[in-house]
Amino acid sequence: MADSSFDIVSKLDRQEVDNALSQAAREIANRFDFKGTGASIEWKGEQAIEITASADDRASAVLSVFQDKLIKRNQSLKILDTSDPRQSGQVSKIDIALKEGITSEDAKKISKLIRDEGPKGVKAQVQGDELRVSSKKRDDLQAVQQLVKSQDYDFAVQFTNYR
């Protein structure tokens, strides 16, 4: 019997992030507490978002609205790499970078965890920005998924290609 396997990846759903961003922008345009503050949220390139407002607390409130919209769309907040509010002339800005992919150090951490604490006979190999986990028994793979989910990493974890 061939080995069963799955991939551990860290991907973001760009369409869901875009939907969350446009919902947040619509809410900011309509909410009374944001009137006259110059608050806005918009894409800044492919993998970055910029929040602009007249004060630091308003910029932080816009960030909180955006995070709420992401959570409602089942997106992890770990995909966001948020900077502190900074003054830029009269306005306060927050830059948000979107994180995608598993770094080689993080992949090594996960594979070490699987080797040390996972079931015997499970192999993990790094393939670019993802990690392929394989085993003869599917039950072992499900145990590995539970093990990885129970850890608190600083990146979003998804499981794909389960076969």
Side-chain angles (χ1 to χ4, degrees):
M1 187 175 128
D3 283 1
S4 299
S5 67
F6 69 89
D7 295 336
I8 300 175
V9 297
S10 178
K11 291 200 181 338
L12 59 95
D13 188 345
R14 177 148 168 90
Q15 186 63 51
E16 290 294 340
V17 174
D18 191 41
N19 290 342
L21 186 126
S22 54
Q23 280 183 339
R26 238 178 290 130
E27 183 173 323
I28 290 160
N30 292 333
R31 262 181 48 180
F32 177 75
D33 57 338
F34 287 116
K35 291 275 190 248
T37 61
S40 70
I41 181 170
E42 57 198 21
W43 284 104
K44 183 181 169 189
E46 282 294 307
Q47 293 290 319
I49 297 169
E50 185 176 64
I51 294 174
T52 311
S54 59
D56 287 355
D57 63 326
R58 291 291 88 205
S60 298
V62 172
L63 176 63
S64 144
V65 168
F66 179 57
Q67 289 173 337
D68 289 345
K69 298 301 179 190
L70 279 175
I71 290 170
K72 285 182 182 169
R73 298 194 151 272
N74 292 327
Q75 296 298 305
S76 172
L77 295 182
K78 293 178 179 179
I79 64 172
L80 303 179
D81 187 13
T82 309
S83 71
D84 291 330
R86 60 179 166 74
Q87 282 301 119
S88 176
Q90 294 290 319
V91 296
S92 180
K93 292 185 177 184
I94 297 177
D95 291 324
I96 303 171
L98 300 176
K99 295 189 287 188
E100 192 171 29
I102 299 175
T103 64
S104 60
E105 295 89 42
D106 291 334
K108 287 176 186 170
K109 268 192 243 173
I110 295 174
S111 64
K112 182 171 174 20
L113 172 80
I114 292 170
R115 271 195 321 273
D116 295 347
E117 298 180 28
K120 297 283 180 241
V122 176
K123 296 185 289 291
Q125 58 213 99
V126 179
Q127 295 181 334
D129 63 349
E130 57 187 42
L131 191 70
R132 165 84 33 101
V133 180
S134 57
S135 172
K136 295 224 182 283
K137 298 182 195 161
R138 286 185 172 225
D139 292 345
D140 289 348
L141 292 180
Q142 289 174 339
V144 168
Q145 284 183 347
Q146 293 304 317
L147 178 67
V148 172
K149 277 184 191 173
S150 69
Q151 302 297 312
D152 185 33
Y153 293 112
D154 60 345
F155 54 92
V157 175
Q158 293 96 22
F159 304 106
T160 59
N161 286 341
Y162 189 77
R163 45 184 103 175

